[in-house]
Amino acid sequence: MADHLDGAAVGTATSTSGPALHNTGAPADIGIGNDVHPSALDRGLKGSISQVNLTAYTGPFRTSLLSAYAPCVTDTEPVQPGRTIALLRNECGDSILAKASQVRPDSLQYGWERDGQLAFLHFGINTYTNLEWGYGDEDPKLFQPTSLDTDQWAQTLKDNGFAGAILTVKHHDGFVLYPSRYTTHSVASSSWLNGQGDVLRKFTDSMHRYGLKAGVYMAPADENQYSGGTGVYANGSARSDRTIPTLVPGDDRLGTDPRTFTLPATASGAHMLNQLYEVHTQYGQIDEVWFDGAGGRIPADKVEKYDFDSWYTLIRSLAPQAVIANDTPDVRWVGNERGLARTNEWSVLPTTLDLGGTPRPITGYGANDQGSRSVLEAAGATATYLAWYPAETDVSIRPGWFYHADQDDRLKSVADLTGIYDRSVGRNSVLLLNIPPDRSGRLAAGDVTRLTDWHNEILRRYTTDVALGAAATATGTAAGSSPADAVDGSYDTAWRPAANRPP
C-alpha cells in the first residue's frame, strides 16, 4: 500500500467470508479504512478478498498506523558529524542513537554555550510609563534618562561574570532606542539630548569597550505600527519581493551604493527588515538577535505570520557571527520565565525543520522530555532530523522586566539567584538574567550590590575544579582519546568511547 496520497485512490475492500473494510471518505487518520481497529491487523482477516473498489480522494493522509507496523530500518550510509543529521522514515532506535552521538554544535552555538550567563537589559519607554507592556501611543518626550551610563552597565556585568548583554532595542510598543529612518516613535522624537540621543550607540560602544558581547532584542509585534489597524503592522499586505534597505526621502545613504537585498516580506516584515539592516550596518558587531514571540496587545486574529525566513537570511548575511535566539534556528527558549531548565535539558533533539530552518521538537514545545534515550529511540516514526538545539533560560532579578521603583526591595536573594544558576547553567542551559536600568539610565545600586554578592557566592562554590587531574580509567577508548581528557580542565578535549552504537 502506498504511504502517501494526493489525488490517488482509496476506497473499500470487500471480503466474501470475513468482515468488510470501509473508508468513509473523510481524511484518513490511519492507513486503511477509518473503522478498522488496529487489532484487526494483529489478528489478520478471515476469508479472501474478492473485490476492491477504488475512488478518487484528495486531502491529508496520515500513516501513523502503517508506520507503527512497518519494520524499522537502519541507515547504512556513513554519517558525517554535523549540527543536523537527517533520519530515515522508521529508522531503528539503535541507528538513531548512533547518529545522535554524531550531532555537534556549530561554531556559533559552541561559542554561545561557552558564555554561560548573559544579561537582559529591559529599558525603554515603559521605564517612564511604569508599564510592562506599552500601547504604542506614548509620547516619546516621556523618555528622559537623566544620567545614562552604559559604561556602568558594562563594568557591572564584566565584574560579575557576564559574557555580554541583550538590550531591548524595540519592545512590543514599537518605541526604538536609536534614531530609525522608519518610525517617529523613537528617541529622535524625544527632547532628551535635543533629539540626538542614541541608546543603542552608547550600549554597543560600551559593551565593545569592555570586551563584552552586544545583543539586540527586537519584538516582531509592534503596537505603534499597528495603530488600530491603520499602520504597517497587520494591514493585510501580501508577501512580495522587497528591496532592503528601502531608501526614504533625505536618506543619508543615497549615493553611497549600500549593499542591497531582495527578500519576500509583507509590509510589516519589510519594516523589520529595514530596522534589522540599520542595526547590523551602523553599530558594529552584534552577537545575538533575540526575537520575542509575544503578540503584545494586538488582537490575536491580527497578529501576523512573520517573515522569519527573510529576517534570518538578512541577519546571516550582515552578521554571520550573530546567534539568532528564542525558537529560532540556533537557540530555543527554555519554556518558562522562572530561570529553570529541565532536570535533563538535552541539546540533541529529534525534530522537523520549518521554512526558516528552525527545528521543531517532535515532543512539543513545552514537553518535559525532549531528548532522552527513549524519545530518541522512538523518533523514527515522526522526526526528520536530529538537531543540536540548546536552551536559553531567562528570568528577571525583579518581579517585573522593566524598572519599577516599588520593586527596589523585592530583588531575588543571593540564595534565589544561586538556585537559579544551579538549575539553568548547571542543567546545560545559558542563563539570561534581566537587570533593568532605572529611570536615570543606570543600574540601580541595590541591584548592583545583589549581583556582586551573588557572584562572590558562585566564585566561592565553583572556582575550584575538584576533578582537575583526577585519576580516570575507561574500557573501550577511541583512538586518539584518553580518559585523562575528561579531567584535564579543557573544553577542547574529551574522552570518546570506542564505538558510537550502543551495545
Side-chain angles (χ1 to χ4, degrees):
M1 178 176 286
D3 66 356
H4 64 279
L5 208 60
D6 185 7
V10 296
T12 63
T14 303
S15 170
T16 56
S17 58
L21 307 183
H22 300 285
N23 186 287
T24 64
D29 195 41
I30 56 177
I32 309 178
N34 284 353
D35 56 351
V36 180
H37 192 277
S39 62
L41 294 181
D42 289 329
R43 295 193 308 267
L45 301 174
K46 295 181 179 180
S48 60
I49 295 177
S50 61
Q51 179 180 344
V52 176
N53 297 326
L54 301 178
T55 185
Y57 170 75
T58 59
F61 185 79
R62 293 166 53 186
T63 59
S64 55
L65 184 63
L66 291 180
S67 296
Y69 283 84
C72 70
V73 295
T74 297
D75 195 346
T76 58
E77 295 296 319
V79 177
Q80 296 299 318
R83 172 174 162 167
T84 59
I85 295 178
L87 296 179
L88 301 177
R89 183 71 171 175
N90 292 315
E91 188 160 346
C92 296
D94 64 342
S95 181
I96 294 173
L97 293 176
K99 286 183 174 179
S101 71
Q102 298 299 306
V103 180
R104 305 282 190 269
D106 66 13
S107 59
L108 282 179
Q109 293 172 315
Y110 177 65
W112 174 83
E113 291 187 70
R114 289 279 299 272
D115 292 339
Q117 66 184 51
L118 300 164
F120 227 168
L121 300 169
H122 276 65
F123 186 55
I125 196 70
N126 293 345
T127 307
Y128 300 91
T129 58
N130 207 36
L131 296 174
E132 285 290 296
W133 283 18
Y135 291 87
D137 59 357
E138 298 83 4
D139 185 348
K141 293 182 176 60
L142 293 173
F143 186 81
Q144 294 289 338
T146 54
S147 53
L148 179 68
D149 190 349
T150 54
D151 276 353
Q152 185 244 6
W153 304 356
Q155 182 71 68
T156 299
L157 299 180
K158 188 175 183 66
D159 289 347
N160 290 289
F162 292 87
I166 299 170
L167 175 67
T168 53
V169 175
K170 183 175 81 74
H171 206 253
H172 311 309
D173 49 74
F175 185 81
V176 180
L177 292 182
Y178 72 94
S180 173
R181 300 168 181 82
Y182 301 97
T183 182
T184 59
H185 201 51
S186 79
V187 291
S189 296
S190 171
S191 57
W192 173 62
L193 298 182
N194 297 316
Q196 302 301 306
D198 189 336
V199 180
L200 180 56
R201 172 72 64 202
K202 293 284 189 180
F203 166 73
T204 54
D205 286 352
S206 292
M207 299 300 285
H208 296 152
R209 184 160 47 247
Y210 281 81
L212 299 173
K213 293 184 176 181
V216 295
Y217 165 116
M218 303 289 284
D222 193 319
E223 299 276 2
N224 180 260
Q225 293 299 317
Y226 178 60
S227 301
T230 63
V232 170
Y233 185 89
N235 65 1
S237 63
R239 183 170 150 108
S240 61
D241 285 346
R242 314 277 179 160
T243 299
I244 307 299
T246 307
L247 300 179
V248 299
D251 200 313
D252 58 1
R253 295 169 297 188
L254 285 166
T256 64
D257 192 26
R259 183 180 179 187
T260 61
F261 300 84
T262 300
L263 296 165
T266 65
S268 178
H271 180 78
M272 175 67 86
L273 283 168
N274 277 309
Q275 291 190 324
L276 287 170
Y277 188 97
E278 290 176 320
V279 168
H280 288 294
T281 57
Q282 298 173 193
Y283 293 93
Q285 180 165 317
I286 301 297
D287 296 289
E288 184 165 349
V289 182
W290 211 91
F291 288 112
D292 192 323
R297 301 179 186 275
I298 295 162
D301 62 338
K302 298 295 184 182
V303 175
E304 287 210 352
K305 182 178 181 180
Y306 300 126
D307 297 310
F308 282 121
D309 55 331
S310 293
W311 300 351
Y312 300 160
T313 296
L314 186 72
I315 294 168
R316 292 290 194 229
S317 299
L318 294 175
Q321 76 288 334
V323 170
I324 308 174
N326 197 6
D327 292 334
T328 55
D330 302 328
V331 175
R332 60 187 165 89
W333 179 49
V334 76
N336 65 77
E337 294 181 339
R338 294 177 292 126
L340 305 179
R342 295 165 182 81
T343 304
N344 293 303
E345 193 63 71
W346 305 102
S347 291
V348 178
L349 306 184
T351 71
T352 58
L353 293 181
D354 72 5
L355 179 65
T358 295
R360 298 298 177 194
I362 61 169
T363 54
Y365 182 68
N368 287 330
D369 184 354
Q370 293 187 320
S372 69
R373 185 182 182 115
S374 61
V375 169
L376 290 172
E377 286 178 325
T382 51
T384 53
Y385 291 89
L386 296 175
W388 189 276
Y389 201 30
E392 186 172 50
T393 303
D394 60 334
V395 66
S396 183
I397 196 172
R398 291 164 168 263
W401 291 94
F402 287 89
Y403 176 83
H404 308 286
D406 61 0
Q407 295 179 0
D408 283 348
D409 59 352
R410 298 174 63 192
L411 305 180
K412 287 181 171 58
S413 67
V414 170
D416 291 336
L417 293 171
T418 303
I420 286 170
Y421 183 91
D422 289 345
R423 289 176 287 178
S424 57
V425 178
R427 290 180 174 177
N428 188 39
S429 173
V430 170
L431 172 60
L432 182 59
L433 179 64
N434 181 63
I435 312 110
D438 64 18
R439 297 181 69 171
S440 74
R442 294 172 54 87
L443 300 181
D447 298 42
V448 174
T449 298
R450 186 59 46 85
L451 289 175
T452 301
D453 292 344
W454 170 56
H455 182 57
N456 288 337
E457 176 62 13
I458 295 298
L459 291 178
R460 184 188 71 79
R461 293 187 179 206
Y462 300 120
T463 296
T464 303
D465 184 350
V466 296
L468 184 63
T473 60
T475 300
T477 296
S481 173
S482 166
D485 293 338
V487 292
D488 63 0
S490 172
Y491 282 102
D492 299 319
T493 58
W495 170 77
R496 302 190 307 279
N500 289 324
R501 294 185 182 277

